[in-house]
Amino acid sequence: MKKISLMRAMIFLISISLNFSQNTYADTHPENTYTMSDIIASTDLSQADNIEKILSSEELKRDLRAFARSLTQGDIVKQSLFNRIALLSLRDELDHINETVTQSNLGVEFIHYQLFHQTRLALKNKTRTQPAFADDTQGLQGLITHQFERLSDEEFVQMSLALGWSVPNAESYVVNVYKQLQGKRLLSQSDMMNIAVNTHLYHVLNRVIPVANKVIKQEQDRRFIIQPDVLITLENDIELSATIVRRRGQKMPNTTALQFTIYADEKAHIKTAMHAAAHGYIGMVANSRGKRSSSNAIVPWEHEGEDAAALIHWITKQQWSNKNVVMYGGSYNGFTQWATAKHMPKGLKAMAPYVAANLITGLPYENNIALTGNFQWPLYATNNKTLDNSVYNDWQRTNAVISELYTSGRPMVDIDDIANRPSPWLQKWLAHPEDDAFYQRMVPHQEEYKAVDIPVLTITGYFEGGQISALNYLNEHYKYNDQANHALLIGPYNHWSAQNKPRSHHGNYKLDPVALEKDTEEVVFAWFDHLLKGAKKPTLVQSKVNYQVMGANEWRFADSLRELNQHTVSFYIQKNTPNKMQTYSLGRVVPLRSQQYIEQVIDLADRSEQRNLAPRQVIGSRIDKQGGIQIETDVFEQDMELTGAITGYFDIEVNKHDVDIGFNYYEVTRNGEVFHLNNYRSRASYADDMGSRRLLTPHKKRRVPIVNARFTSKLIEKGSQLVLVLNVNKNMDAQVNLGTGKSVNHEDISQAGEPLTLKWYLSSQINLPLKPWVKSE
């Protein structure tokens, strides 16, 4: 299912029950075009009854089956597993689905398709006439019940998690696909794939999930003691709702595995807590104050640490508790662990934050730049006692809001006004554009990290939007506590796949087979078992830094990030000889003339262009410079390992008081394939200190350090080269810094003034984390 850029930003903080991933690629045959279905083209999609007519249209179903059957095996094989399984299902090829699942070691991830076809096959093979599948649930219910009865508790939980899809969310998603494409008369193969895969997925889920949920409810009650909503009253009349799950027959006090979250969803909490119980823990998911049964006001972020610490104290007093608590979970639930660690409650023995969020180092801010993605999150999280799913139902409208903010040049504080949805929480965060006491009260700050003396396992990814915040916690922990027991697991994952078991592709990049071995919660429970029960270390957590080298199909291990960062090569911007295609390159020679520079002139009021946007796909055929300055290394004469983050500094000069700079970072292979490694953006006035703004002096050279660049690891094969495209960060994904020196959140396009003149001095030093590749023994 193809995701638009907003969705990639949105999933940074949202845990949703409908787990989609990027999975459509460029057309296999770009010349192939398809006519838009008449029923989609002519239907008013704002009416629920009309949507039902589309989804129940037998003609559309026949057209989609015909499309799937028209594809060659080559077309299908080139698709992601997500698409491939859906296409095989449309072709009614159960044997090929089973074969693909087995070969890919996917377990039960696509069990909804398998159950759908197994039931149809069973009904088809019966001698007596059967009613249509749509009207008959008995066979499906019997099939699911029979499968569940044979499973262990852990296998049952894995099956129930795999069947944890939301039918309403699937419907909402496919309707948005229709809206996105409705205006097209002719569709590309990729467009048609998007319609076919997502429409069919909805049909399968609509048949399977309601029946599966009934069986799952019966089976989970047989295996576990489930308390779905326990209201816990703490001091100062703070109330928290919690879901608690214990294994039936468990008599001895036990360790509690706790997630603390603002994402109130009772059904999801039961499954999360069941998984912990299946691993031999007491499973518990507690909600932030004000959520579910809590009568308090909802306050995101600010009180999570003190509330979770008090909750842990309450847990240790319960008769079923052995006084030990471990915490785990991702995104916002990773933040709540660090918030708890600020208070270090006595019962907390370990924590495993993955893709841990932070307002000032993730969203809405990245290196002090306010991002537009996910601006509606506070409404989603605080509009009601659970979650307001309506907030994200219309991608097109949300994209239009972000587009208008950029093209109109209105200040960042107007974004909720443009959306016509007042957001007081967003406005509060926009009033704090630097790392001040407001944020420092939420999580450990400086010397407070010394008290964090429990084992910590951080998990994140190279393609993870919030990697900066996850690694910032780790770096600060080691900076202020040289005895920290803190491990990192990192690989080619995005925000969703870092928290779960990855699928075969990220965008159009096919992950190495060993990268697919990570199943986050299984790794985390194995790590807890190692710490508390003396079990062996998880295979993927053998050292302090555990990383997957893309392109090498290897996991590697190091004692520290500092050790990895010692292997850097310093490069400088070099002026090439006239006969070279590129005017400038990255070379090892220190420039003798430190006053030489490359100049860019950029009209910040011109919103017909965008600069420093990350490309939509990982792999492409060319570099889109977007008006930037391309600098590149020489071709490498041997295989190299690129592991770590870019460091160094830029010597710059501008004619204004501030500037947001950035770059896109690529590998270009010997055959011309372009691999996008990551994107960087930073506000020059905060590069020295995220908590204190130091404006630039117009027309005066300033050394600006490269801070919080993203970590990656890849085998750079002989014949390849690395490329940076330096630019001003000016695009719809973030606010535009006009350089007035005033609050950027309040800057208006009318203040743009004269065009920005930016000089990149050749004395800039760019340290690339490179070393010769050494094969593992």
Side-chain angles (χ1 to χ4, degrees), residues 99-129:
E99 181 182 349
T100 302
V101 168
T102 301
Q103 290 177 349
S104 303
N105 194 28
L106 292 172
V108 293
E109 183 175 348
F110 292 100
I111 189 64
H112 45 291
Y113 286 114
Q114 293 169 298
L115 290 170
F116 177 81
H117 288 284
Q118 286 168 5
T119 306
R120 293 183 68 184
L121 186 63
L123 294 175
K124 184 177 179 180
N125 289 340
K126 292 216 173 172
T127 54
R128 65 185 180 86
T129 303

Side-chain angles (χ1 to χ4, degrees), residues 408-441:
S408 69
R410 292 174 65 177
M412 184 68 186
V413 292
D414 282 2
I415 191 167
D416 57 344
D417 184 50
I418 294 171
N420 197 28
R421 303 192 77 166
S423 182
W425 290 113
L426 176 64
Q427 292 300 324
K428 186 173 187 178
W429 305 330
L430 291 177
H432 293 273
E434 60 189 28
D435 188 14
D436 60 12
F438 174 69
Y439 302 114
Q440 293 164 10
R441 284 193 294 268

